[in-house]
Each structure stands twice: as C-alpha cells, then as structure tokens.
Amino acid sequence: MQAFTTLTGVAAPLPLANVDTDKIIPARFLKTIKRSGLGVHLFDTLRYDETGAERPEFVLNQPQYRKAEILIAHENFGCGSSREHAPWALLDFGIRCVIAPDFADIFHNNCFKNGILPVRLPREVCDRLIEDAKLGGNARVTVDLERQVVVRPSGEEIPFNIDPFRRGLMLGGLDDIGQTLQHAPAIDSFEGREKSEKPWMPEISGV
Amino acid sequence: MPNTKPRTLFDKVWDAHVVEQLPDGTCVLYIDRHLVHEVTSPQAFEGLRMAGRRVRRPEGTIAVVDHNIATDSDRTQPIVEEESRIQVETLEANVREFGVPYFPVTDARQGIVHVIGPEQGISLPGFTIVCGDSHTSTHGAMGALAFGIGTSEVEHVLATQTLLQKPAKNMLVRVDGVLGTGCTAKDIVLAIIGKIGTAGGTGHVIEFGGEAIRALDMAGRLTVCNMSIEAGARAGMIAPDDTTFAYIKGRPFAPLGEAFDHAVAYWRTLAADEGAQYDTVVVLDAAEIAPQVTWGTNPEAVLPITGVVPNPADEADEAKRVQLERMVSYMNLTPGQRLTDLKIDVVFIGSCTNSRIEDIRAAAAVAKGRKVAPGVWALVVPGSGLIKAQAEAEGLDVILKEAGFEWREAGCSMCLGMNPDRLKPGQRSASTSNRNFEGRQGPGGRTHLCSPAMAAAAAVTGHLADVRELV
C-alpha cells in the first residue's frame, strides 16, 4: 500500500448524498480477479451514456477534473455493498482522498486498506470546499495527514479528526496483516482457550 | 476480571472474541466463521500467495459460488460467460491450493452464501461471522455478530483468523405488538429503514427485539437482519431463543447430541442482561405496519402500498428535494400517483433476503390458481439447491410454473445485475431483494422492493398490488 502523507491536487466536486457503491462501480464490472484496471468503469452510469459515450456534464469528464486526486461529496458516501472494487476503482482513476460529511462504515474501512484517505468534515465545510473545487485546475487543495489539515486554495487551514491507529498505518503505508501477525501468540492462546472452554464447538470438516 | 455492568447481546459476543486490545482501543477480534465467495476473494487469495501466507483456519472457513453464476442453465455444463467462468475457476483453484472447504455449483448444498450458512448449521449463536459481502448481517438472526468486510479484510481473516476492529455502538430496535394479515418480516424491516433512514444505523450494531420479532420464524429473522446494512448498521442481531435452537438442531455442521445441549446452555447466556444500556432505542408498533413497497432509489424511500408517490416540492431541505426529484425522474413517476397504479414488467422472487422455503411458500400461496399477468416476466430463484429440492417435494414448483413463473437453480440472480438475469433499461420490477439503487438490477432498471407475497401479488395483477386484497 502506498503511504499517504501530504497530497496537493485538483479536487472534483460531486455534491450528491448517498453515493452508493453501485454508483461508484456497478456489479457487472466485478468479474475481475485483479485489483487494477477498474478506473475506466468508475461512476460508469454517471460518466457514460447508453452508447458508452462520455456524458460531458459529468464532473470527471470535464478537462479540468480528468486528473482529479480529491473528491468532495455529500452525506453517506459509499453506502451499499462491501465491494472493495469501489476504492480500487477510485484509486485506479487517481483519487487518493474523498472528503464528505460522513461515510458508510465498510467503504470507510476499505479506503484505509488501499491508501485512500476518507476525511470527514461538516456539511457546510464540504460545501465551501465544493465551491473551491468548482474553480477547477486553478484551485489546488492540499490534504496534509501529518498535520491533519485540509488547506483551501486561499491558504485557510481546516483541521480534521482521524483515528490515530489508522493514521499511523496510512502514514507508514503499513500492511495490517503483518501488524496483526505480531499478535500470533495471543491468537494461538485464544484458540487454545476456546477449545478447552467450549469443547462442543464444531468445526467445518468432512465437506 | 468479572464484568458486572449489564451487557447487551452485542457486548457479550464482542467481549468473548477480543484476543487483545491495543492501547488506542482497537481490538484484535477473533473470527469463528469466514464465508468466501467468488467475487470478493480472488484478490485476497492472490495477496496470500504473494506474501507466502497460508489460510490459518480452513476448518472455520467455507467457500461457495453464488454471485455471478447463471441460474437458468444446466449446472453440469461449463459456464458460458468467460469472465464469470474465470472467476469461478479461480475460486476452485484457490480452495484446492489453500485447503478450504467448498460447495461447488454441482453440489445440492450450493446456494447463496447467506442462505447456506444458517441452513448448514455453519452460522451459530455467539459466533463472529464475516464474509466479503455486506449482507453478512443476515447471520445475526442466529444470535451471531456477523458483518460484511472488504477484500483486504478477507485476506486479513484468511491469514490471521482475526480482524482489527473497534466496538460499535448499541442500538435497540423494538417492534412491539402483532403483525397484521399479509404483513411479513420484510415489511417490518422496510418500515424500520423508512423510519431511521439509510444512514440511521451507521456506527451501530442493531439488536432487534420485541414481541413481533420474537414471533418471527428463523426465515423472517434472517430477512430482518439481512437488511440491517440498508439502514447503514454494521450488523443486526436477534437474541437466540427456543425458535433458534429448534432451527439449529440436527443441521449438518451444528453440534450433535450432548454437545448440542452444552451449546444451548451457553447460547442461553447471550441474551442482553436486565438493564443493559443502548446508545439509541427505536420503537415501532407492528400493528401499524402495512405491506411496504419502495418507490425511490434507496431503501429508505419506502411507503405502505396504500400510499402515493411523494411530491419533492413538499420537501423544505434543498439537498433532499434535489435527491427526491432525481428519484422521481429516474423511477419515471408522477407525484401523487398511486403506487398500486404502477405497472410491472418483471417480478423477481429470490436473493439472500427472501429465497428461503418459507418465502417460496408465501409466493406460491398467492400464485396458486392464478396466472402471471400478460407481459410480466416472473422468476423464482431458490436460495439453495436444498431449498429447491424441498420446494419441489412440496409441489411448490408446479404451482408456480402453472401460474407462469420461471423456476430456477440457486444463486443471487437478479438481485445485483452481475449475472445474466438483469432488467433492461426502463423496465420496472417488483423484487424481493434488498437494494433499489439506480442500475442495481441492470442499467436503467427500476426496482420496487417488497415481500415475496407482495411480489407474487404484483406478478398476478401486473401492477404493484396490496396482497391483503388477494388473501
């Protein structure tokens, strides 16, 4: 996973609430066995018409947002399915940070596993950032995870909160499996204790 | 250290699975059961392979194919669609390489992952259960803590049998009273989502309780917990009771004989303690719940079947008004239009929400002696091969086929538009599945969620209909 420290880039405004994972990437594109290559299908139905042609009005089709690295949206971003294809598609397109008033839980988790920083900021702050983002390539937004601030094009700094454990993993680009395996002895003894305390506990065998 | 504070069902299952608590409160949480399917696992197995890791506990893991397989073809023949075939073959290669138990498509036990877990006695009370699918919340009906995870977490569980998690908040949704005729578990859960909203449960685990929940059979409880995620909750749970224990007894992977008695004694301790505190409490009266149907493009946009399409102009909040306008337009509706006037093109009875034998019986009861309306394509897709066989033993397939329904093999089918069963652009469906998002059942498709009985009523009348007028 790529570490996330500071990102300065173009922010794309997406002032929609309840952007669900079917909108981010429809299920018909989940048949891949790879993580990469999904960016072309990001926001498929919003981005392309029935013939597959780009809808010029959709934000990521506009020239100034084609290289956007930050997305700013409204409430309950990422609701719906657990598909990690949603953050994979965002990442493959080039989005490294999503700013919204709140996120659905599983999507929020999945972002951290892929080096995408989800930043929660109040609705009115998101709306101010959306106004900034509407300036397109003329307005670059900085997201500084080390200092936990979003810097507006005006230079104004907006602090944000983030779980310190997850912040650490993001800053270090750390694999949490490796992290957890440091607790392997504790997992072993937990399993041993369960076996002796609940000997009736069945296993899936003989399938 | 004895814990004297009264605890909820969630608290108890959580506490029993904390391997270690890190200084910031993050817990290494032990996972008892990991359900794996073809869509969200290939990249996880690939990750294990690249890191030289093994599956830590194959005997706590079960794999099955459900999402992308066709349900209308001969299961002994190769899968036609190439990408689907590759995904299924990849799963088969992975389960062989890593020694994971697996129900292939030709096995009668194959079915939708959230149907087969309880059916096989794999999902049991007090367990932690995860799967790379948001509807894992279903298994909470057993009294388990069950939730959906992403593919990175699938890999994490495969490698460590644990997850890094922080405890959720507790929400109690109590449904008092007795449901009216023609009303079901699906109507209860749609009414709950209508009340609290699609983000109403975010950050919480919902415990469902109250007289109306206690009165539900296991199929109904599984339906309710299945849709917890549509209220944004991390999981839904129902305390295990005699209904649960009777359901589990004798299932293939459940404890047997004396072991079963020991298990029940433990399971009885899981119910919330007297005085346990919930962060949020929501109360509904079952008697006030009419058959529900969604009209818009998220499950919170739901109304009693007697309702009319809302007028976005009545909404004061601008952002909400814009969203309502988009829904009305996408669904091709007119404000004030009666829901029962909406003509239906497709009826889908199936999915992890409503594909159990009880659901098929409810649909057949409405279909019996009637015909699917002209121009309506109606399909019934059992949740597992065993449910299909049971329905056939009861003659339900004959009733449904005589009425003009298609009778299918087990799978996810038209719930999610990633296999051949899809809506065409502009088609309107009455569906027993769980999501009515734009394009969920196929690009441009328009979905109305409802119970199996309501879906069958729509099939035989050709429009959304009040099943109470047919029973």
Side-chain angles (χ1 to χ4, degrees), chain B residues 399-463:
Chain B
I399 294 171
L400 290 162
K401 283 189 280 195
E402 277 177 358
F405 286 83
E406 274 185 37
W407 179 245
R408 295 293 192 83
E409 302 289 333
C412 294
S413 183
M414 205 189 275
C415 176
L416 83 168
M418 76 169 295
N419 54 61
D421 300 328
R422 283 185 206 172
L423 293 181
K424 295 193 183 77
Q427 280 190 326
R428 188 181 295 286
S429 79
S431 175
T432 66
S433 53
N434 40 55
R435 289 199 176 123
N436 51 346
F437 298 156
E438 288 180 21
R440 169 78 179 182
Q441 294 191 292
R446 300 175 178 133
T447 304
H448 297 276
L449 302 175
C450 59
S451 72
M454 286 283 285
V460 299
T461 60
H463 53 81

Side-chain angles (χ1 to χ4, degrees), chain B residues 218-242:
Chain B
M218 289 312 293
R221 295 180 185 189
L222 290 159
T223 300
V224 169
C225 288
N226 172 275
M227 289 195 71
S228 316
I229 183 71
E230 308 315 329
R234 195 78 174 111
M237 302 176 83
I238 296 174
D241 59 12
D242 289 335

Side-chain angles (χ1 to χ4, degrees), chain B residues 55-175:
Chain B
V55 173
R56 182 183 166 96
R57 196 164 164 253
E59 64 277 16
T61 313
I62 182 82
V64 70
V65 281
D66 58 0
H67 278 62
N68 77 27
I69 50 168
T71 60
D72 60 350
S73 52
D74 181 352
R75 290 278 161 99
T76 59
Q77 297 300 308
I79 296 170
V80 180
E81 221 261 327
E82 194 191 355
E83 287 177 304
S84 297
R85 184 175 52 74
I86 292 172
Q87 222 170 35
V88 171
E89 287 172 356
T90 303
L91 180 65
E92 296 190 336
N94 284 330
V95 298
R96 269 197 307 275
E97 179 180 344
F98 290 94
V100 172
Y102 172 58
F103 296 149
V105 75
T106 48
D107 191 312
R109 299 170 297 179
Q110 177 269 341
I112 305 173
V113 65
H114 307 309
V115 171
I116 65 155
E119 182 175 84
Q120 290 294 322
I122 287 169
S123 308
L124 295 173
F127 273 0
T128 46
I129 303 173
V130 297
C131 171
D133 188 284
S134 58
H135 292 109
T136 309
S137 60
T138 312
H139 309 259
M142 308 301 301
L145 172 61
F147 52 92
I149 56 178
T151 299
S152 296
E153 289 176 315
V154 170
E155 184 181 338
H156 194 280
V157 177
L158 288 172
T160 70
Q161 206 58 38
T162 66
L163 276 175
L164 296 173
Q165 292 277 306
K166 279 195 172 159
K169 286 190 272 192
N170 279 290
M171 177 186 280
L172 175 67
V173 174
R174 206 180 72 216
V175 188

Side-chain angles (χ1 to χ4, degrees), chain A residues 21-91:
Chain A
T21 50
D22 281 83
K23 262 201 200 85
I24 299 172
I25 184 153
R28 60 187 180 280
F29 302 115
L30 309 190
K31 296 185 183 183
T32 174
I33 56 169
K34 297 185 298 184
R35 289 171 196 248
S36 56
L38 291 167
V40 65
H41 304 304
L42 177 68
F43 295 120
D44 191 86
T45 41
L46 296 173
R47 204 162 142 203
Y48 308 107
D49 67 16
E50 297 73 23
T51 69
E54 287 188 359
R55 297 180 196 273
E57 71 279 13
F58 183 64
V59 61
L60 297 181
N61 289 333
Q62 294 164 15
Q64 65 271 38
Y65 298 113
R66 284 180 180 270
K67 293 216 159 82
E69 293 175 90
I70 300 164
L71 199 61
I72 307 167
H74 281 167
E75 289 81 1
N76 201 25
F77 191 89
C79 60
S81 113
S82 67
R83 62 189 68 162
E84 202 157 316
H85 309 68
W88 294 339
L90 286 165
L91 194 64

Side-chain angles (χ1 to χ4, degrees), chain A residues 6-19:
Chain A
T6 292
L7 170 70
T8 298
V10 171
L14 190 69
L16 288 175
N18 300 311
V19 173

Side-chain angles (χ1 to χ4, degrees), chain A residues 129-144:
Chain A
L129 290 167
I130 283 171
E131 289 310 310
D132 290 343
K134 285 181 181 164
L135 301 171
N138 297 324
R140 295 167 81 78
V141 174
T142 295
V143 181
D144 186 335

